[in-house]
Amino acid sequence: MENNQSLYQHGTLAALVPGLFAGTLTVNELLKHGDTGIGTMDGLNGELIILNGVVYQATASGEVVKVDGDAKVPFANVHFVHLEESTPIANLTYLELKDVATKRLKSQNLFSYLSVHGTFSSMKTRVVHGQQPPYPTLTETASQQEIFDAANVTGTLTGYYSPALYAGVTSPGFHLHFLSDTHEMGGHVLDCQLTDGELAIQPLNQLQLHLPDENSEFLKADLDDEAVLSDIKKAEN
Amino acid sequence: MENNQSLYQHGTLAALVPGLFAGTLTVNELLKHGDTGIGTMDGLNGELIILNGVVYQATASGEVVKVDGDAKVPFANVHFVHLEESTPIANLTYLELKDVATKRLKSQNLFSYLSVHGTFSSMKTRVVHGQQPPYPTLTETASQQEIFDAANVTGTLTGYYSPALYAGVTSPGFHLHFLSDTHEMGGHVLDCQLTDGELAIQPLNQLQLHLPDENSEFLKADLDDEAVLSDIKKAEN
């Protein structure tokens, strides 16, 4: 049964910090819980953008490819999209856009989905390279990420707002990915300049968190370290 | 559909810290998500113990009463109990009991339900008095709680283990309540000495968190304050 107020999450951001990058849920299973979302693939290989039930992977080579249903994710968020209204917005930096969106949240204590479809005079994304076991830590992957820049690109900025209370479980604040309408450019958004677009927000009053309880490395990992939260701040900027 | 690996939670511990004690979910609705659990009532009135689908309220007057299905909770956890095996344990202080239980967790990164049915040579509980609006903070209620002591009491120690990562969302570590078999003594466990009993643990690989999105005070509260986590430590000891 579809529940369009529930944010489904597989895995935790905290588990990625020490390098638990092995995929633990199939894409087919993930899609049972939503048609829209973001995430990453086995080995932290690329940045996922899920739109209309299709899973796109922005890869470090610069390509965007569709993902096979049998492939596995270590960490992803999905929900069933239901946008009641959208608001025209224009001429905003990334910080200004997030500020406008924050003011339109139903509450900073709820999760929310954010979508901005529009034209961006500039879009800067990062895409992490796929890692091989033994995996490095999340912060170590940052030195191996690729940066992509596009000018005058039309597409969808998509992702979630999480209250600060859930830092470590997930990424606090806005965690946004981008996919161009041509499916040629995408990734985790580092910066952008919006020319004009439509902003829509869907409040989500439930978090359904599924933990990888069949992964022995997850079961035995020490994820309570103070360093975990500190590393999340470094890695998610 | 019953899912005996899912911990359902209504509300967050963080929301109780500044005094958001108003009930926001009926007991009848809560019981759709589990037959076993712990919680508190509207106005932080007493300590709930839910066993076999029956909701018992340990009150500050020292009585234990059954709760009406229309009554509302601001914060509660439930799940469908399914205990595959139990282990005999004996002659343990509360700290030793929690230490034994910690070693039997499938993982410190999963949620777990814990049940100890047994005889306790001593049992010390606390029960919070029901509060009236405008509500005080959670720490302020501590000065108004009642302490109950029982000797040679048989009953059920019941509650949940949550990984430290979820501190603030819920109470980290073990959060345990007690109900005597005679339903005459109960509350939030402060200390005990186990004579002998049976320990059972049920790992839970999912957290289903439901937020009170129709409560205007919850929607506008500032729950991201550093003081929230600090106050939780004070209030939950």
Side-chain angles (χ1 to χ4, degrees):
Chain A
M1 189 185 71
E2 291 193 12
N3 176 342
N4 60 31
Q5 289 196 76
S6 185
L7 174 60
Y8 178 87
Q9 177 171 308
H10 175 71
T12 63
L13 185 56
L16 298 183
V17 171
L20 300 180
F21 300 160
T24 41
L25 190 81
T26 66
V27 163
N28 280 337
E29 185 63 32
L30 180 69
L31 291 174
K32 291 179 183 172
H33 303 279
D35 54 20
T36 302
I38 58 176
T40 187
M41 294 304 297
D42 182 72
L44 218 68
N45 190 5
E47 311 284 339
L48 294 187
I49 303 100
I50 304 166
L51 292 173
N52 299 317
V54 181
V55 183
Y56 300 93
Q57 177 188 22
T59 68
S61 68
E63 285 181 308
V64 177
V65 297
K66 289 186 188 175
V67 175
D68 191 74
D70 296 331
K72 288 185 173 178
V73 298
F75 182 67
N77 284 98
V78 294
H79 80 295
F80 290 103
V81 71
H82 179 75
L83 300 172
E84 293 193 343
E85 56 182 35
S86 66
T87 308
I89 53 174
N91 301 318
L92 299 172
T93 66
Y94 191 36
L95 283 177
E96 288 167 347
L97 187 157
K98 288 192 283 190
D99 191 48
V100 166
T102 299
K103 289 179 180 141
R104 291 179 182 272
L105 293 174
K106 179 174 176 182
S107 167
Q108 291 190 43
N109 298 323
L110 297 177
F111 296 88
S112 290
Y113 171 66
L114 174 147
S115 164
V116 177
H117 185 261
T119 298
F120 298 82
S121 60
S122 70
M123 173 61 66
K124 182 189 290 286
T125 65
R126 71 127 201 262
V127 178
V128 176
H129 278 273
Q131 308 291 317
Q132 299 297 325
Y135 293 124
T137 66
L138 188 62
T139 48
E140 285 166 352
T141 64
S143 60
Q144 300 164 315
Q145 69 191 18
E146 298 292 330
I147 307 289
F148 297 98
D149 284 290
N152 298 316
V153 59
T154 300
T156 307
L157 193 71
T158 182
Y160 299 95
Y161 169 87
S162 300
L165 184 61
Y166 305 90
V169 180
T170 190
S171 184
F174 287 103
H175 183 179
L176 302 173
H177 287 189
F178 177 76
L179 182 65
S180 70
D181 282 357
T182 61
H183 302 167
E184 288 173 342
M185 194 266 178
H188 176 106
V189 177
L190 294 178
D191 200 9
C192 65
Q193 173 72 39
L194 175 76
T195 304
D196 55 57
E198 293 283 329
L199 165 69
I201 288 175
Q202 178 181 358
L204 302 163
N205 70 358
Q206 288 186 59
L207 174 68
Q208 190 183 351
L209 179 66
H210 176 252
L211 298 172
D213 65 328
E214 295 180 350
N215 181 275
S216 62
E217 293 190 328
F218 174 79
L219 296 180
K220 72 188 181 199
D222 180 5
L223 303 176
D224 293 344
D225 198 323
E226 289 283 325
V228 167
L229 281 181
S230 147
D231 278 5
I232 285 168
K233 285 192 180 171
K234 288 183 210 159
E236 288 300 313
N237 282 333
Chain B
M1 190 185 70
E2 291 193 14
N3 176 344
N4 61 30
Q5 291 197 75
S6 185
L7 173 61
Y8 179 87
Q9 177 171 308
H10 175 70
T12 63
L13 186 56
L16 298 184
V17 171
L20 300 180
F21 301 159
T24 41
L25 189 80
T26 66
V27 164
N28 281 337
E29 184 63 32
L30 180 68
L31 290 174
K32 291 180 183 171
H33 302 280
D35 53 21
T36 301
I38 57 176
T40 187
M41 293 305 297
D42 182 73
L44 216 67
N45 188 5
E47 312 283 339
L48 295 186
I49 303 101
I50 305 167
L51 293 173
N52 299 318
V54 181
V55 183
Y56 301 93
Q57 177 188 21
T59 67
S61 68
E63 286 181 306
V64 177
V65 298
K66 288 187 188 175
V67 174
D68 191 74
D70 295 332
K72 288 187 174 178
V73 297
F75 183 66
N77 284 99
V78 293
H79 80 296
F80 289 103
V81 72
H82 179 76
L83 300 172
E84 293 193 344
E85 56 182 38
S86 65
T87 308
I89 53 176
N91 301 318
L92 298 172
T93 67
Y94 191 37
L95 282 177
E96 288 167 347
L97 189 156
K98 288 191 282 189
D99 192 46
V100 166
T102 299
K103 289 180 179 140
R104 291 181 182 272
L105 293 174
K106 179 175 177 182
S107 166
Q108 292 191 43
N109 298 323
L110 297 177
F111 296 87
S112 289
Y113 170 66
L114 175 147
S115 165
V116 176
H117 184 261
T119 299
F120 299 82
S121 60
S122 69
M123 173 60 67
K124 183 189 288 289
T125 65
R126 72 128 201 262
V127 178
V128 177
H129 279 272
Q131 307 292 317
Q132 300 298 325
Y135 292 124
T137 66
L138 187 61
T139 48
E140 284 165 354
T141 65
S143 61
Q144 301 163 314
Q145 69 192 18
E146 297 294 331
I147 308 288
F148 297 98
D149 284 290
N152 298 317
V153 60
T154 299
T156 306
L157 193 71
T158 182
Y160 298 96
Y161 168 88
S162 300
L165 185 62
Y166 305 89
V169 180
T170 189
S171 184
F174 287 103
H175 183 179
L176 301 173
H177 288 190
F178 177 76
L179 182 65
S180 70
D181 283 357
T182 59
H183 301 167
E184 288 174 343
M185 193 266 179
H188 175 106
V189 177
L190 293 178
D191 199 9
C192 66
Q193 174 72 40
L194 175 75
T195 305
D196 55 58
E198 293 282 329
L199 166 68
I201 288 175
Q202 179 180 358
L204 302 163
N205 70 359
Q206 288 185 60
L207 173 68
Q208 191 181 351
L209 177 67
H210 176 252
L211 299 171
D213 64 328
E214 294 180 351
N215 180 276
S216 62
E217 291 188 330
F218 174 79
L219 296 179
K220 71 188 181 200
D222 179 7
L223 303 176
D224 293 343
D225 199 323
E226 289 283 326
V228 167
L229 281 181
S230 150
D231 278 5
I232 285 169
K233 284 192 181 171
K234 286 182 213 161
E236 288 300 314
N237 282 334

